[in-house]
Amino acid sequence: MITQADTLSEAQTEAVDAIATMLDGTTYPLPQDSSSWILESNQQVHLITVDMDAWYHEKNEYLK
């Protein structure tokens, strides 16, 4: 899954929608432990929480 935005805040919002869209109608995967990941100096990890109930509600409100 890939998403983009102009700011970190927008990227986090876009990531929630991208992840929720990817998970919609599927069995949710188990979370991964990122504590052992080795990152380059220009890389960052941002944990994104997706509330699928809230996402479905927002999606249904948008479609009305």
Side-chain angles (χ1 to χ4, degrees):
M1 183 272 309
I2 297 173
T3 192
Q4 73 167 42
D6 292 330
T7 68
L8 180 57
S9 178
E10 290 173 356
Q12 291 171 329
T13 299
E14 294 299 324
V16 168
D17 186 60
I19 293 167
T21 300
M22 183 179 68
L23 294 175
D24 187 21
T26 67
T27 302
Y28 303 162
L30 295 175
Q32 294 184 13
D33 179 6
S34 61
S35 64
S36 64
W37 295 355
I38 299 172
L39 303 176
E40 300 294 327
S41 62
N42 64 338
Q43 296 176 318
Q44 300 177 7
V45 173
H46 293 268
L47 302 178
I48 304 294
T49 301
V50 179
D51 180 337
M52 291 300 289
D53 289 333
W55 182 79
Y56 280 122
H57 178 74
E58 183 177 317
K59 180 179 173 181
N60 288 330
E61 288 296 315
Y62 176 76
L63 295 175
K64 286 183 180 181

